[in-house]
Amino acid sequence: MFGLETDVFILLFISLFAACAFEFVNGFHDTANAVATVIYTNSLKPTVAVVWSGICNFTGVLLGGIGVAMGIVNLLPVELLVDQNVYHSVAMVLALLLSAIIWNLGTWYFGIPSSSSHTLIGSILGVGLAFSTLPDNTTGAAVNWDKAIETGEALLLSPLLGFSLAIVLMFVLRRVVAEDVKAQLFKEPKKNSEPPTWIRGVLIATCSLVSFFHGSNDGQKGVGLIMLILIGVVPYHFAVKSDLDPRLMQTNIVGIEQTIAVLNPNQLSPANRDRLTQTRAELSDLKQLINGPLVDNKIPNEKRLDVRKDLLLINSNMRKITADEGANISASQMAVLNKSLSEESGLRRFTDYAPFWVILMIALSLGLGTMIGWRRIVVTVGEKIGKQHLTYAQGASAELVAATMIGVASWLKLPVSTTHVLSSGIAGSMVASKGVKNLQASTIRNIALAWVLTLPVSILLSFTLYIFFRWLL
């Protein structure tokens, strides 16, 4: 398959299996975040809830796009993503996948709501940092820090917003809802008794939304992992989108060259002057390629990894150059550049993609994982965050806030933690009811501890595993 030698094919299979295993674990690790409220309010039976959540997760992956997936891929430096040595690429994906799975399983076993997003991103950072220490890394490249900072901000702010918005929403409900409705909405569910039909409908709807948006955000992380594997191990097939005519780049190249033409190199910083020189050389390489003979209007196999490297560096360099104070780029010219670089009609459409079979494989892994293993963390979310039983209003508020925030994050192409957004929403709803004293300190401490430890532990694990696999392979 893919013209690989037997040993490389086996490593590819193991890597793909590990990526699906990560997404499967992600499914049953994060299931509780969507189904806890409908289970603890007796809106759905546990079995029905997790199956329905699995279907919504599956649909979310299929319809969620690939913006977050490409954000995950682009955390790593270009040099690591275009390494010609297949075994180095296998070492990379095995290190980040195994470290993520180990931490996810550990926190799930102890019933601690932990973030799969934090775990995966920490693992990617660990691999990048380990790569920077290797003697064959002559560029010193480690991590795409601009993207890492943007991702870190999203992961940091999302639980704070979830906590705050849940309090605000609870406050608004108490003020605007009619007294007879409020009496039903803010009471604790009776044991083994379904809520009123309209409340049950609201809770099922919010559960569905959280599940769908969880799929659209967390599922993309698995898609990104698969693409990392495919680009590293079989670059001839997946480094660039092979069904696009490379001559479509011509218009994009002209747009970029128009921007370069208005720049005064003497007004740029020394680093950006070097980037400008490098970008001109990369554009020249692309023009030479597309103006030369092309068999079946496709980029030659032996050139695909080099083309990917040129495209990624052009995009990265032009973003940094135009952000320079001395660039003085007009709004209209910036619009031309953005279009020339975009994933819709620009150069990035050749690199930012995922085959449908990859998306379907991850959708199945996440959907099936969602249907098992829910009980441990459901108990934590439903019983151990607050001291009181979850009311209908608290469950609906927390899930509505979580669904909205995850949906917005997916639209902005940013990864967020479903676990922390919903857990913080539950905590916010408990505080809105009876103050901070309504929280169970031990559970909040465990969640916070997991939140603090996840990044350094996953970084250390993947750093160590990457060095080991590079030595082994």
Side-chain angles (χ1 to χ4, degrees):
M1 192 179 201
F2 300 128
L4 299 175
E5 297 177 3
T6 303
D7 59 336
V8 178
F9 176 76
I10 291 172
L11 288 172
L12 173 63
F13 177 82
I14 292 171
S15 300
L16 292 175
F17 179 81
C20 290
F22 167 80
E23 207 58 42
F24 185 85
V25 171
N26 185 14
F28 71 71
H29 188 278
D30 285 4
T31 304
N33 302 305
V35 302
T37 54
V38 289
I39 291 174
Y40 272 86
T41 56
N42 303 313
S43 298
L44 287 175
K45 297 293 184 183
T47 303
V48 175
V50 296
V51 170
W52 176 244
S53 179
I55 293 170
C56 292
N57 268 283
F58 176 86
T59 308
V61 180
L62 290 184
L63 302 179
I66 60 165
V68 175
M70 292 302 105
I72 294 294
V73 172
N74 292 330
L75 279 171
L76 290 169
V78 173
E79 292 80 2
L80 183 53
L81 293 177
V82 294
D83 193 328
Q84 298 280 356
N85 189 311
V86 169
Y87 296 100
H88 293 175
S89 299
V90 171
M92 170 188 71
V93 296
L94 287 180
L96 65 90
L97 281 169
L98 288 178
S99 58
I101 291 170
I102 289 168
W103 183 250
N104 263 2
L105 283 175
T107 52
W108 165 82
Y109 180 80
F110 290 104
I112 301 172
S114 177
S115 168
S116 299
S117 301
H118 277 69
T119 307
L120 178 59
I121 289 163
S123 299
I124 291 174
L125 294 179
V127 167
L129 291 171
F131 176 69
S132 70
T133 66
L134 298 177
D136 55 350
N137 178 8
T138 57
T139 65
V143 173
N144 182 348
W145 290 114
D146 291 338
K147 191 65 183 177
I149 291 170
E150 181 185 73
T151 301
E153 288 173 347
L155 291 173
L156 176 64
L157 290 175
S158 54
L160 300 177
L161 285 173
F163 179 81
S164 304
L165 291 176
I167 293 176
V168 171
L169 184 54
M170 288 283 289
F171 177 82
V172 170
L173 288 175
R174 287 186 183 279
R175 293 297 183 271
V176 303
V177 173
E179 288 299 325
D180 57 331
V181 175
K182 189 189 301 182
Q184 298 181 68
L185 197 57
F186 283 86
K187 71 177 183 180
E188 295 183 7
K190 295 180 181 178
K191 189 174 182 179
N192 299 323
S193 177
E194 290 183 358
T197 302
W198 70 273
I199 292 178
R200 186 169 181 245
V202 169
L203 289 165
I204 292 173
T206 55
C207 166
S208 303
L209 287 171
V210 171
S211 299
F212 176 85
F213 287 122
H214 175 260
S216 73
N217 196 279
D218 275 45
Q220 288 193 53
K221 295 157 194 169
V223 173
L225 284 173
I226 295 288
M227 291 311 297
L228 279 176
I229 295 166
L230 295 176
I231 292 166
V233 180
V234 277
Y236 290 171
H237 295 274
F238 298 101
V240 291
K241 194 172 184 182
S242 59
D243 60 351
L244 287 177
D245 188 336
R247 287 172 295 192
L248 294 172
M249 296 181 194
Q250 183 63 52
T251 303
N252 306 138
I253 291 172
V254 170
I256 296 168
E257 288 180 331
Q258 287 176 357
T259 304
I260 290 176
V262 301
L263 292 170
N264 183 348
N266 295 325
Q267 294 180 346
L268 300 175
S269 67
N272 281 327
R273 284 200 293 271
D274 291 340
R275 292 188 181 105
L276 188 59
T277 301
Q278 183 185 37
T279 301
R280 285 189 173 122
E282 289 149 359
L283 290 170
S284 177
D285 290 342
L286 290 180
K287 286 195 293 185
Q288 185 177 353
L289 172 72
I290 62 180
N291 291 330
L294 294 171
V295 179
D296 297 327
N297 297 324
K298 294 182 181 294
I299 300 169
N301 285 347
E302 66 275 10
K303 293 284 187 180
R304 289 185 180 179
L305 206 55
D306 291 332
V307 169
R308 179 179 182 85
K309 181 177 181 180
D310 285 342
L311 293 174
L312 293 177
L313 287 174
I314 289 169
N315 179 74
S316 174
N317 287 341
M318 289 306 297
R319 296 296 184 195
K320 291 174 180 176
I321 290 168
T322 52
D324 193 303
E325 292 181 358
N328 294 322
I329 300 295
S330 67
S332 59
Q333 188 59 57
M334 198 66 202
V336 171
L337 177 64
N338 287 335
K339 185 177 181 180
S340 299
L341 297 174
S342 71
E343 59 269 29
E344 290 83 17
S345 58
L347 293 182
R348 283 177 55 194
R349 63 187 149 159
F350 288 87
T351 58
D352 292 13
Y353 80 101
F356 178 74
W357 66 267
V358 170
I359 298 172
L360 181 62
M361 186 165 62
I362 292 300
L364 286 170
S365 300
L366 182 63
L368 291 173
T370 300
M371 297 181 189
I372 69 165
W374 53 272
R375 189 177 302 276
R376 289 180 184 272
I377 296 176
V378 160
V379 171
T380 299
V381 173
E383 296 181 9
K384 297 182 179 180
I385 291 178
K387 293 180 179 178
Q388 69 175 108
H389 193 289
L390 201 67
T391 66
Y392 302 131
Q394 288 170 332
S397 296
E399 289 213 315
L400 185 59
V401 166
T404 302
M405 290 189 60
I406 299 165
V408 170
S410 296
W411 177 63
L412 294 173
K413 302 175 184 177
L414 293 171
V416 292
S417 166
T418 302
T419 300
H420 288 146
V421 171
L422 189 70
S423 296
S424 62
I426 296 286
S429 70
M430 291 291 174
V431 170
S433 295
K434 296 182 180 180
V436 177
K437 64 182 181 181
N438 198 29
L439 297 176
Q440 294 198 41
S442 59
T443 302
I444 300 301
R445 183 176 59 250
N446 287 341
I447 293 174
L449 187 61
W451 189 84
V452 170
L453 289 178
T454 293
L455 273 178
V457 170
S458 54
I459 287 172
L460 181 61
L461 273 173
S462 62
F463 185 102
T464 306
L465 286 172
Y466 181 66
I467 297 296
F468 170 73
F469 286 131
R470 279 292 296 259
W471 170 79
L472 184 65
L473 299 174

